[in-house]
Amino acid sequence: MLKKTGLLLLFSAGFLSTKAQQTIPFRITKYNNIIVKTVVNKKDSLDLMFQIAMKDGAISPERKRKADHIIFNKEEISENNTVDIGKLSFKDILFTDNQLTGPEADGKIGTGLFEGKAFTIDYDNNQFVIFDKMPDLKGFQPIQTIYDQDAFYVVGDNVIDGHRQEEGHFVLQSGYSGGILYSNPFAEEKDLNKKLKITGEKTLKDSKGRSLVTKQAVLPFFKLGDMVFKNISIAFFAGEIKTQNVSYLGADMLRRFIWVFDADRKTAYIKPSKYYSEPYYKIN
């Protein structure tokens, strides 16, 4: 059985390599963020966090490395930049200045690297693979995606109270380290504060004294496609500040699958990665 499985894996890897046009290596931080090593405008060596919920790039004010060769205008926009990753070179990349990013990153880079192409986020081998044509999808299951304003939306089923499934739309958000973060409207409508087991709470106040309460809780069941997760760690906001208008499917959930996105961004294909059964990440 082990020999047969090994042969299948070798055959699958070999088949994918014949279809693959380009590969981009990455590393995963302890915060579940994807970091890509880049050289911008042939001069600035920057570690950029991959952000699936944006198309372009951004530079952080808290960066550790210099970005002296990215020239910004008065609107803090820089156009027509080149980004080199290994032997690959990408042109006409736009950067925005002064956007915060995840730990260990000097900025962010989005899905503009894959413009007009199908691509894979391969968490098993720590790489993106860019295709001219769709690869072999044996073992993957399709899930519908809505691509709107540079972000991917997927539908997940949430079992909050008993066995009733509550459908929700989630933005794929690789910059959020946790698994699921619910929007304020969803949390209030479904009364998550009373219906879920609360495991943690943190309160912050703004300059006007208004409170932002982050609550950690346990969701009995979550379903994406045909795959069901039990007792999943989730978060939502409470208090007077209500700015979270969309729900996130964060990096802790993204890493549990290998993802293939088609070129027209209407369908994603998923199958379990090596992280599928890892313990859930808990936001401090």
Side-chain angles (χ1 to χ4, degrees):
M1 183 64 183
L2 288 174
K3 290 183 178 180
K4 183 177 179 181
T5 302
L7 288 172
L8 285 172
L9 289 173
L10 286 172
F11 175 78
S12 176
F15 185 83
L16 284 173
S17 66
T18 63
K19 295 283 186 180
Q21 302 301 303
Q22 300 169 324
T23 60
I24 297 175
F26 60 72
R27 67 178 175 89
I28 303 175
T29 72
K30 65 180 182 180
Y31 306 100
N32 298 326
N33 299 141
I34 290 175
I35 303 292
V36 181
K37 297 190 75 66
T38 72
V39 178
V40 180
N41 295 332
K42 310 297 181 182
K43 298 287 185 178
D44 297 324
S45 297
L46 300 171
D47 283 2
L48 299 180
M49 183 193 78
F50 174 66
Q51 173 54 282
I52 196 172
M54 66 187 290
K55 177 182 176 181
D56 301 311
I59 298 301
S60 171
E62 298 179 353
R63 61 186 178 273
K64 294 182 179 180
R65 298 167 184 84
K66 293 183 179 181
D68 296 339
H69 298 85
I70 305 175
I71 308 302
F72 295 97
N73 62 22
K74 293 181 180 179
E75 286 73 40
E76 299 189 329
I77 299 295
S78 178
E79 299 179 309
N80 303 318
N81 298 282
T82 62
V83 175
D84 295 333
I85 306 173
K87 296 180 179 179
L88 303 180
S89 185
F90 302 89
K91 298 180 180 180
D92 300 322
I93 302 297
L94 182 148
F95 280 92
T96 301
D97 201 9
N98 291 316
Q99 284 193 21
L100 294 177
T101 186
E104 304 180 30
D106 303 305
K108 298 178 283 190
I109 193 72
T111 58
L113 298 176
F114 318 122
E115 186 75 17
K117 301 288 185 70
F119 72 96
T120 296
I121 307 176
D122 183 353
Y123 283 97
D124 282 357
N125 296 296
N126 285 9
Q127 65 181 11
F128 300 105
V129 186
I130 308 171
F131 301 96
D132 283 334
K133 297 180 180 180
M134 290 295 286
D136 178 24
L137 294 170
K138 184 177 181 181
F140 288 81
Q141 64 170 289
I143 57 174
Q144 182 181 2
T145 60
I146 298 172
Y147 188 64
D148 183 51
Q149 297 183 348
D150 302 330
F152 292 89
Y153 291 77
V154 298
V155 173
D157 287 325
N158 313 266
V159 177
I160 297 168
D161 189 11
H163 298 284
R164 181 181 177 184
Q165 292 187 10
E166 303 282 359
E167 186 177 272
H169 285 81
F170 296 85
V171 173
L172 302 186
Q173 175 51 275
S174 57
Y176 174 66
S177 298
I180 290 176
L181 176 65
Y182 286 109
S183 69
N184 288 118
F186 187 93
E188 292 175 2
E189 179 186 348
K190 308 305 179 185
D191 203 9
L192 300 186
N193 195 42
K194 293 182 179 179
K195 292 183 178 178
L196 296 182
K197 177 184 176 182
I198 305 300
T199 58
E201 183 176 315
K202 186 176 182 179
T203 301
L204 299 174
K205 289 187 179 292
D206 68 3
S207 59
K208 297 180 181 180
R210 296 177 302 175
S211 63
L212 174 65
V213 182
T214 306
K215 297 203 173 188
Q216 304 289 323
V218 176
L219 182 72
F221 295 96
F222 178 78
K223 183 179 180 183
L224 183 65
D226 294 333
M227 302 182 199
V228 178
F229 296 85
K230 297 180 180 180
N231 296 322
I232 183 171
S233 178
I234 63 94
F236 62 94
F237 292 119
E240 299 164 278
I241 302 175
K242 299 176 181 179
T243 57
Q244 188 66 33
N245 297 318
V246 296
S247 297
Y248 289 162
L249 194 73
D252 185 43
M253 287 299 294
L254 290 174
R255 72 182 179 125
R256 297 175 190 275
F257 302 96
I258 296 174
W259 297 78
V260 179
F261 296 88
D262 63 4
D264 63 9
R265 309 298 187 243
K266 292 182 179 179
T267 308
Y269 300 84
I270 59 173
K271 72 175 182 180
S273 74
K274 62 184 179 183
Y275 298 108
Y276 185 79
S277 299
E278 286 290 300
Y280 297 121
Y281 183 87
K282 293 184 179 180
I283 301 291
N284 294 327

